[in-house]
C-alpha cells in the first residue's frame, strides 16, 4: 500500500511540475503588447451542443492574452442553432455571429479597437 501511495505522489509531483513548466514557458514567450485577436469558428448545420462548444471556445479565448471575441461564422446554421447563437450574443458581448461575407469588415472593425 505504501508503494502505491509513493507512486501516486511521484506521478502527481511530475504532473504538477510539467504544468508549471508549461505555464512558465507560455509566460516567457508572451509578447508585451499583443495585437487584438479573435477565435473564429465556422459553423454549419445543426450543432447539438452549441452552448457547450461556444462556452469552451470562450474559455480558451480568454486564456489567450488579447483574445476577447469568439466569432461564429454562419455557413448555413440551422434555425435552432442560429437562435441559440443569437441568445448567447445578447447575453455575452464576446460572442459575435456573422455571415462569411461580413467577416472581412468585422475583422477590420475589431482591429481598430
Amino acid at each position: 500500500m505504501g508503494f502505491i501511495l509513493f507512486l501516486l505522489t511521484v506521478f502527481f509531483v511530475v504532473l504538477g511540475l510539467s504544468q508549471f513548466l508549461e505555464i512558465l514557458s507560455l509566460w516567457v514567450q508572451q509578447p508585451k503588447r499583443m495585437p487584438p485577436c479573435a477565435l473564429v469558428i465556422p459553423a454549419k448545420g445543426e450543432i447539438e451542443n452549441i452552448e457547450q462548444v461556444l462556452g469552451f471556445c470562450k474559455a480558451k479565448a480568454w486564456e489567450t492574452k488579447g483574445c476577447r471575441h469568439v466569432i461564429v461564422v454562419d455557413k448555413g446554421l440551422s434555425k435552432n442553432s442560429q437562435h441559440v447563437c443569437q441568445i448567447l450574443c445578447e447575453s455575452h458581448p464576446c460572442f459575435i455571429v456573422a455571415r462569411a461575407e461580413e467577416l472581412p469588415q468585422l475583422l477590420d472593425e475589431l482591429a481598430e479597437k
Side-chain angles (χ1 to χ4, degrees):
M1 182 69 175
F3 183 69
I4 293 174
L5 287 176
F6 173 75
L7 286 178
L8 282 173
T9 303
V10 169
F11 172 75
F12 285 116
V13 166
V14 169
L15 185 65
L17 283 173
S18 68
Q19 289 294 306
F20 173 74
L21 290 174
E22 180 184 9
I23 291 169
L24 183 64
S25 170
L26 290 173
W27 181 73
V28 168
Q29 294 176 26
Q30 114 183 343
K32 292 193 186 326
R33 188 162 191 275
M34 182 76 173
C37 68
L39 180 62
V40 179
I41 305 164
K44 187 176 185 179
E46 177 70 27
I47 302 173
E48 292 178 22
N49 57 346
I50 194 161
E51 292 175 64
Q52 183 180 10
V53 169
L54 295 178
F56 176 78
C57 291
K58 176 184 170 188
K60 282 302 192 187
W62 279 80
E63 285 179 5
T64 305
K65 183 179 179 182
C67 191
R68 295 293 177 251
H69 295 283
V70 176
I71 301 172
V72 180
V73 180
D74 185 349
K75 304 276 290 169
L77 279 170
S78 69
K79 295 287 183 195
N80 185 44
S81 294
Q82 280 180 339
H83 180 69
V84 171
C85 285
Q86 290 304 328
I87 290 171
L88 286 172
C89 287
E90 291 168 5
S91 61
H92 301 288
C94 67
F95 290 115
I96 300 170
V97 178
R99 293 189 312 272
E101 55 271 6
E102 299 170 342
L103 195 56
Q105 179 184 355
L106 177 63
L107 293 175
D108 285 342
E109 290 171 8
L110 290 176
E112 293 172 2
K113 289 185 179 180

